[in-house]
Amino acid sequence: MKKTLPALLLFCLFFSFVNPVFAQASVKKASASVEVSGTVGGLYLNVSGYISPYASIVLTSDGIFYRATVADKYGYFFISQILIKEGFSHFCLEAIDIKRIGESVTCFNFPPATGGINMKDLFLPPTLGLSRTEIGEGGTVIASGYSMPGAKVTIHLSNGKFLTTTADSTGYYEFKLENIKAGKYELYSTAEYNDKQSLEPTSRAKLTA
């Protein structure tokens, strides 16, 4: 137990400070179907879905750490039997890919819980990281991250432009953004896998040129 606790604290601290490129944005929160069911002896939250192979996922609510897990080799994850209180109505899933290149944050809001909450088959958005957050006008930046292997990944820029590519067999994708005009930009990635669109991330990467 004494050895496990420091490791857990280090894990939580890592997610608290990783990748300052990202900032919370005032955007429309991702929507997902929510099942409410009765439970005996308490209310529980169960969440499952997929993002990318071996990604690390942390579930938080109002800045409080609830549970962490790692996706399997196929990109699927399960977080189950989290005890919640009646009235529980929101949480966030913070993910970082296996190479620690980028992250994604997706938050969920739903009616206050009166029973157990089950959220299944969530396709989380790709992780995203930038090689640089500040460049000169006309400069180049690499935007990269991970999604499901073979997924169609789209990067969206706040100037209305977007680019699309296909993730490789490990889930890795990369965009080379060139000749960027002066200005401030926000970027995020989404994906399509097996005809299903990913959720839209709550966070945005920020770039200044």
Side-chain angles (χ1 to χ4, degrees):
M1 180 65 181
K2 291 183 178 179
K3 293 182 178 180
T4 304
L5 185 57
L8 178 59
L9 290 174
L10 182 60
F11 184 82
C12 297
L13 286 172
F14 176 80
F15 273 93
S16 298
F17 296 101
V18 69
N19 203 345
V21 173
F22 285 81
Q24 205 70 9
S26 298
V27 298
K28 183 179 180 181
K29 301 295 187 295
S31 61
S33 60
V34 180
E35 294 181 10
V36 180
S37 60
T39 56
V40 177
L43 308 183
Y44 291 93
L45 170 66
N46 299 295
V47 180
S48 62
Y50 47 103
I51 175 169
S52 66
Y54 304 113
S56 299
I57 302 104
V58 173
L59 190 152
T60 64
S61 182
D62 293 326
I64 299 173
F65 170 83
Y66 277 77
R67 189 76 59 81
T69 190
V70 176
D72 65 20
K73 63 181 180 180
Y74 303 109
Y76 292 86
F77 68 90
F78 305 88
I79 301 176
S80 60
Q81 294 295 293
I82 297 178
L83 185 63
I84 58 175
K85 295 181 180 180
E86 186 171 347
F88 185 84
S89 62
H90 56 275
F91 68 88
C92 294
L93 293 175
E94 305 172 24
I96 187 167
D97 54 67
I98 186 174
K99 295 294 186 179
R100 305 298 190 250
I101 291 174
E103 68 170 22
S104 72
V105 179
T106 312
C107 296
F108 303 84
N109 292 286
F110 40 85
T114 56
I117 301 293
N118 297 300
M119 301 182 72
K120 304 176 182 178
D121 201 33
L122 301 177
F123 182 16
L124 299 185
T127 61
L128 172 63
L130 303 179
S131 59
R132 301 172 64 185
T133 58
E134 294 186 7
I135 59 174
E137 182 177 5
T140 298
V141 65
I142 301 297
S144 58
Y146 279 80
S147 185
M148 294 294 284
K152 178 181 176 182
V153 180
T154 301
I155 188 168
H156 307 259
L157 285 73
S158 54
N159 61 3
K161 295 184 178 181
F162 62 89
L163 298 170
T164 299
T165 190
T166 300
D168 67 16
S169 60
T170 69
Y172 177 76
Y173 73 90
E174 180 179 295
F175 295 96
K176 187 176 183 180
L177 308 178
E178 301 178 290
N179 300 317
I180 299 175
K181 296 181 179 180
K184 293 185 177 181
Y185 301 87
E186 293 188 349
L187 307 85
Y188 68 95
S189 291
T190 57
E192 181 181 340
Y193 181 70
N194 289 341
D195 297 321
K196 180 171 181 174
Q197 291 288 338
S198 73
L199 297 168
E200 186 176 309
T202 308
S203 61
R204 299 288 190 266
K206 294 192 174 184
L207 173 67
T208 300

